[in-house]
């Protein structure tokens, strides 16, 4: 008996050991596959960079190279830094070109303002002004992109790019739009170098003190208490001199509370240096109180800050209460509050009455929600691995019926694709393929318009999850058909693009410098990222070879960028909460 029990124990132990080894082997293979995919993608990134350098327009080269540098940073920081510096050099060259053109135009004349329309004679100045405004947006995007990796280098680029401008109009435009954005960058710098952030921050408050400086103050103080106190004293000095912020009640109140909280904590055991001393807090409260007292008798806004001021300057708080004491022994706010309560009660009663009878639209939405809930329950049942095939087919049939009742081809295709993917995960490839045929029947085999192409891309997305081998030929055919449409788009674009925003030197501005229409189209294509990631994991070579099907070089590069974002950008952005399969938007 002892022998048999021991043998049984050893047998069970051996089984679990083999299972553990099998799982470890599977995990190792997954890690190896992921590492190989990343390695192949980095090599593909370098190939794409070579293509970017061959683009005709500086604008496109800048847009793509900056994004490639950001993706490279997580894999080779040194090379990424070099790529960023190259992009910065191109950007400064672009600004110098704009600057030279602006100086050659002389002083603005009549009719130089920007006007839109196909038959409007757009002046050189207005066209240049639009391009310069776009360049300023790109400058901010590039700085923010780099700030995630190297805030100091990003801030350096941001400041240096201003120095290349000599045109007074351009310099004024850049300085006006820089005020708030600079503080965002300095907040990033403060995370790594509080001293440098403080150095820059003290200069910026001379232009104006606002709530953004308070966020920057907290970041600096969190990193370095001494530098935080230095910045706080500089802010106080600015306010005492009456330069900035003395009339901004909410900003002054926030500053008073932040500094006061730091002072209270500094008195605790192990507390760090406060932002302001007790005397400096009294000075701040005094300036705040004077700003309130300088207002006329009807201004009651300052009365709410009396309690905050009293903590550091009781006499000033008494003066505020005396000046703004409500007349007739009542509360001025009481009447307003009563009026609000009455109006709010009426509104609530009105809403209750309107909700008592559902409209046809509401009834339709309720019915659709019931179908949606039923669909989710059916899909959840499919997750049971032990589910008999007959039962599974019954549930799938019911889910397909619900989906076909859903209005909109896009919702039908997305729902069927999700259902097919779930069935494929359970190993029933035949049933999954049958479901995808339903989805394919909803698309135009010869897509002609924008909607046709989007539906075809949705179908390819479904195949990517359920049967990748069928997704590749579908995408190849779609791209070949799209080439004709893209060629026509460029011809029409050149015809209507009087300002030269979409197309320059015969090249579509597919990057950040493209016009509103181009940016809208490329943002729509961003929804394909998950599909491309799935295809890349299934067969990276086939996925990247899809890009070579595009005729135009700038569109090929855009397609390559989408693949690189999907693979190398995975996990680098904040993840959204996982969404469940649904037949609604």
């Amino acid at each position: 008996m002892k022998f048999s029990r021991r043998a049984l124990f050893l047998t069970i132990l051996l089984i679990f050991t083999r299972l553990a080894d099998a799982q470890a082997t599977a995990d190792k293979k997954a890690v190896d596959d992921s590492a190989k995919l990343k390695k192949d993608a980095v090599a593909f990134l370098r190939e794409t960079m070579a293509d970017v350098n061959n683009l005709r327009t500086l604008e496109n080269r800048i847009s793509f190279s900056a994004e490639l540098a950001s993706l490279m940073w997580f894999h080779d920081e040194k090379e990424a830094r070099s790529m960023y510096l190259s992009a910065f050099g191109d950007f400064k060259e672009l600004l110098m070109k704009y600057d030279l053109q602006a100086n050659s135009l002389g002083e603005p004349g009549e009719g130089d303002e920007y006007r839109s329309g196909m038959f409007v004679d757009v002046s050189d100045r207005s066209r240049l002004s639009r391009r310069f405004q776009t360049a300023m947006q790109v400058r901010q995007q590039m700085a923010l992109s780099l700030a995630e990796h190297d805030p100091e280098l990003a801030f350096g680029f941001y400041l240096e790019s201003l120095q290349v401008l000599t045109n007074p109009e351009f310099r004024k435009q850049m300085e006006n739009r820089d005020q708030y954005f600079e503080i965002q960058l300095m907040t990033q710098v403060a995370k790594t170098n509080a001293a440098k952030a403080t150095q820059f921050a003290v200069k910026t408050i001379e232009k104006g003190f606002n709530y953004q400086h308070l966020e920057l103050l907290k970041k600096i103080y969190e990193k370095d208490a001494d530098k935080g106190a230095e910045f706080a004293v500089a802010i106080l000095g600015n306010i005492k001199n009456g330069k900035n912020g003395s009339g901004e009640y909410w900003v002054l109140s926030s500053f008073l509370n932040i500094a006061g909280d730091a002072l209270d904590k500094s008195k605790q055991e192990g507390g760090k240096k406060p932002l302001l001393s007790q005397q400096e807090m009294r000075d701040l409260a005094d300036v705040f109180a004077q700003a309130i007292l300088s207002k006329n008798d009807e201004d009651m806004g300052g009365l709410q800050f009396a309690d905050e001021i009293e903590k550091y300057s009781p006499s000033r708080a008494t003066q505020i209460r005396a000046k703004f004491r409500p007349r007739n022994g009542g509360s001025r706010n009481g009447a307003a509050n009563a009026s609000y309560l009455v109006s709010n009660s009426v509104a609530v009663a009105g809403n209750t009455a309107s909700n008592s009878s559902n409209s046809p639209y509401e009834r339709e939405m309720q019915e659709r929600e019931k179908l949606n809930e039923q669909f989710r329950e059916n899909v959840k049942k499919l997750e049971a691995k032990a589910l008999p095939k007959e039962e599974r087919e019954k549930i799938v049939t019911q889910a397909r019926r619900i989906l076909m009742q859903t209005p909109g081809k896009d919702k039908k295709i997305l729902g069927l694709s999700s259902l097919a993917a779930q069935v494929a995960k359970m190993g029933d490839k035949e049933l999954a393929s049958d479901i995808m045929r339903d989805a394919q029947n909803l698309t135009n085999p010869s897509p002609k318009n924008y909607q046709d192409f989007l539906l075809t891309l949705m179908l390819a997305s479904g195949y990517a999850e359920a049967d990748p081998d069928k997704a590749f030929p579908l995408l190849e055919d779609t791209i070949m058909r799209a080439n004709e449409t893209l060629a026509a788009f460029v011809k029409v674009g050149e015809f209507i693009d009087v300002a030269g925003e979409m197309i320059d030197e015969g090249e579509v501005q597919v990057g950040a410098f493209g016009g509103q229409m181009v940016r809208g189209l490329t943002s729509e294509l961003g929804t394909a990222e998950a599909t491309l990631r799935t295809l890349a994991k299934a067969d990276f070579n086939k996925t990247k070879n899809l890009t070579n099907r595009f005729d135009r070089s700038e569109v090929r590069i855009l397609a390559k960028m989408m693949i690189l974002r999907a693979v190398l950008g995975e996990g680098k952005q904040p993840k959204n909460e996982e969404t469940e399969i649904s037949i609604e938007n």
Side-chain angles (χ1 to χ4, degrees):
M1 180 64 71
K2 288 183 180 180
F3 176 78
S4 60
R5 285 182 179 176
R6 184 179 180 185
L8 178 62
F9 172 76
L10 290 174
T11 302
I12 294 173
L13 181 61
L14 181 61
I15 290 172
F16 275 101
T17 302
R18 288 181 176 177
L19 287 173
D21 289 342
Q23 182 62 49
T25 302
D27 292 343
K28 184 177 183 302
K29 184 179 183 303
V31 171
D32 291 343
D33 288 346
S34 178
K36 184 180 184 305
L37 177 60
K38 293 292 174 67
K39 182 179 178 181
D40 291 343
V42 170
F44 187 43
L45 188 154
R46 294 189 176 103
E47 293 175 17
T48 304
M49 191 66 215
D51 294 337
V52 169
N53 291 332
N54 291 325
L55 287 169
R56 288 191 293 275
T57 64
L58 262 175
E59 288 88 344
N60 267 341
R61 292 203 297 271
I62 291 167
S63 296
F64 285 128
S65 57
E67 186 171 355
L68 286 171
S70 180
L71 291 173
M72 177 62 84
W73 195 281
F74 297 99
H75 307 280
D76 190 328
E77 183 177 323
K78 184 178 179 181
E79 186 173 356
R81 193 181 298 273
S82 175
M83 292 167 68
Y84 265 120
L85 292 174
S86 177
F88 295 162
D90 284 344
F91 185 81
K92 286 191 278 188
E93 182 183 340
L94 180 69
L95 286 187
M96 286 189 285
K97 183 178 80 170
Y98 289 166
D99 188 61
L100 182 64
Q101 291 173 353
N103 289 334
S104 68
L105 293 173
E107 294 294 324
E110 187 178 350
D112 277 337
E113 70 279 2
Y114 183 81
R115 293 174 294 169
S116 61
M118 187 182 300
F119 300 106
V120 172
D121 184 17
V122 180
S123 69
D124 290 339
R125 184 179 298 278
S126 64
R127 183 184 292 110
L128 181 61
S129 178
R130 286 291 289 263
R131 290 193 173 190
F132 179 74
Q133 293 296 329
T134 302
M136 293 303 94
Q137 295 172 12
V138 173
R139 173 174 173 251
Q140 291 187 353
Q141 291 170 11
M142 291 173 67
L144 278 180
S145 171
L146 179 57
E148 297 177 6
H149 313 297
D150 190 331
E152 292 179 53
L153 183 59
F155 199 69
F157 155 70
Y158 199 72
L159 293 179
E160 288 172 18
S161 56
L162 174 64
Q163 307 308 316
V164 304
L165 292 176
T166 61
N167 183 269
E169 185 181 349
F170 279 177
R171 286 189 67 89
K172 183 179 179 180
Q173 289 182 32
M174 185 181 280
E175 289 170 354
N176 287 341
R177 70 184 301 144
D178 279 359
Q179 183 176 359
Y180 291 102
F181 188 76
E182 280 181 5
I183 301 174
Q184 294 180 41
L185 279 181
M186 277 183 273
T187 303
Q188 293 283 349
V189 175
K191 295 178 182 178
T192 56
N193 192 327
K196 184 162 288 188
T198 303
Q199 179 185 348
F200 291 135
V202 170
K203 293 180 181 179
T204 62
I205 58 175
E206 296 175 1
K207 302 177 185 177
F209 169 59
N210 57 63
Y211 72 94
Q212 284 187 307
H213 287 100
L214 296 179
E215 292 302 314
L216 177 58
L217 174 64
K218 289 190 284 188
K219 289 293 182 185
I220 293 175
Y221 186 61
E222 181 182 330
K223 184 71 176 177
D224 187 324
D226 290 334
K227 291 299 175 183
E230 180 183 331
F231 185 33
V233 170
I235 293 174
L236 175 61
N238 223 40
I239 295 172
K240 287 171 68 176
N241 291 332
K243 290 183 179 179
N244 304 292
S246 59
E248 296 290 339
Y249 289 175
W250 182 82
V251 176
L252 288 173
S253 172
S254 298
F255 185 31
L256 186 69
N257 286 321
I258 291 170
D261 185 55
L263 180 62
D264 292 340
K265 290 181 179 178
S266 71
K267 298 174 183 178
Q268 299 173 4
E269 185 178 353
K272 58 185 180 181
K273 181 178 180 177
L275 285 167
L276 297 175
S277 66
Q278 188 71 40
Q279 179 58 49
E280 289 166 335
M281 290 297 300
R282 188 177 296 111
D283 292 343
L284 175 58
D286 188 67
V287 173
F288 190 6
Q290 288 183 50
I292 295 173
L293 291 167
S294 66
K295 301 297 182 181
N296 59 51
D297 290 345
E298 296 302 318
D299 188 352
M300 297 290 292
L303 185 60
Q304 62 183 303
F305 301 109
D307 291 344
E308 298 174 14
I309 292 171
E310 185 175 33
K311 184 175 179 181
Y312 306 102
S313 182
S315 60
R316 289 294 191 185
T318 301
Q319 289 178 323
I320 291 172
R321 292 191 182 102
K323 181 172 183 177
F324 298 110
R325 182 181 297 112
R327 297 170 182 172
N328 302 324
S331 170
R332 293 192 182 189
N333 290 335
N337 289 338
S339 175
Y340 169 78
L341 289 173
V342 170
S343 61
N344 191 51
S345 299
V346 172
V348 170
N351 289 335
T352 303
S354 64
N355 289 335
S356 60
S357 58
N358 292 337
S359 66
Y361 172 77
E362 290 172 328
R363 288 195 295 272
E364 181 184 345
M365 292 302 295
Q366 289 173 358
E367 184 63 30
R368 192 178 299 177
E369 176 56 32
K370 290 179 181 178
L371 290 174
N372 193 23
E373 181 62 31
Q374 189 177 0
F375 177 76
R376 285 197 295 264
E377 290 176 1
N378 286 336
V379 172
K380 191 172 183 180
K381 291 177 183 177
L382 291 175
E383 296 176 0
K385 294 183 178 180
L387 196 67
K389 183 176 180 179
E390 296 78 11
E391 183 66 21
R392 181 167 64 242
E393 290 178 349
K394 180 180 177 182
I395 293 172
V396 169
T397 299
Q398 187 180 26
R400 290 165 79 173
R401 179 182 57 79
I402 293 172
L403 285 170
M404 296 313 291
Q405 295 177 31
T406 305
K409 289 183 179 180
D410 56 336
K411 297 182 182 66
K412 288 185 176 74
I413 292 173
L414 290 173
L416 289 167
S417 297
S418 299
L419 182 62
Q422 186 65 38
V423 172
K425 286 179 183 177
M426 300 178 63
D428 197 336
K429 300 291 185 181
E430 183 179 349
L431 181 56
S433 179
D434 189 48
I435 296 170
M436 286 307 301
R437 274 195 291 272
D438 283 353
Q440 188 163 2
N441 289 335
L442 296 169
T443 62
N444 185 349
S446 302
K448 295 179 180 179
N449 55 44
Y450 184 50
Q451 186 182 50
D452 286 347
F453 278 104
L454 283 180
L455 293 177
T456 303
L457 288 175
M458 289 180 187
L459 178 65
S461 175
Y463 273 124
E465 295 287 346
D467 190 351
D469 289 338
K470 291 185 179 179
F472 289 110
L474 177 62
L475 284 171
E476 286 182 5
D477 181 68
T478 304
I479 291 170
M480 297 300 288
R481 295 177 185 278
N483 280 325
E484 296 179 11
T485 305
L486 289 170
F489 169 81
V490 174
K491 286 292 183 184
V492 174
E494 288 176 322
F495 180 73
I496 66 174
D497 187 24
V498 180
E501 288 182 326
M502 291 190 298
I503 300 165
D504 188 24
E505 298 182 30
E507 195 170 84
V508 180
Q509 298 299 289
V510 289
F513 287 92
Q516 185 175 356
M517 183 186 295
V518 175
R519 285 194 293 272
L521 289 170
T522 52
S523 65
E524 288 278 357
L525 293 174
T527 58
E529 188 170 298
T531 301
L532 292 173
R533 186 179 301 121
T534 300
L535 292 174
K537 290 178 179 178
D539 193 321
F540 185 69
N541 284 328
K542 281 186 178 181
T543 304
K544 73 175 187 177
N545 287 339
L546 286 171
T547 62
N548 296 324
R549 301 290 182 179
F550 288 102
D551 290 341
R552 298 188 65 88
S553 58
E554 67 272 34
V555 180
R556 276 200 303 273
I557 293 172
L558 176 61
K560 292 177 180 181
M561 286 297 311
M562 291 171 64
I563 294 172
L564 290 168
R565 288 175 200 154
V567 178
L568 296 177
E570 184 180 11
K572 304 301 185 296
Q573 300 296 330
K575 293 184 178 179
N576 296 324
E577 293 183 6
E578 187 176 351
T579 55
E580 57 188 351
I581 299 172
S582 174
I583 60 176
E584 292 187 332
N585 282 333

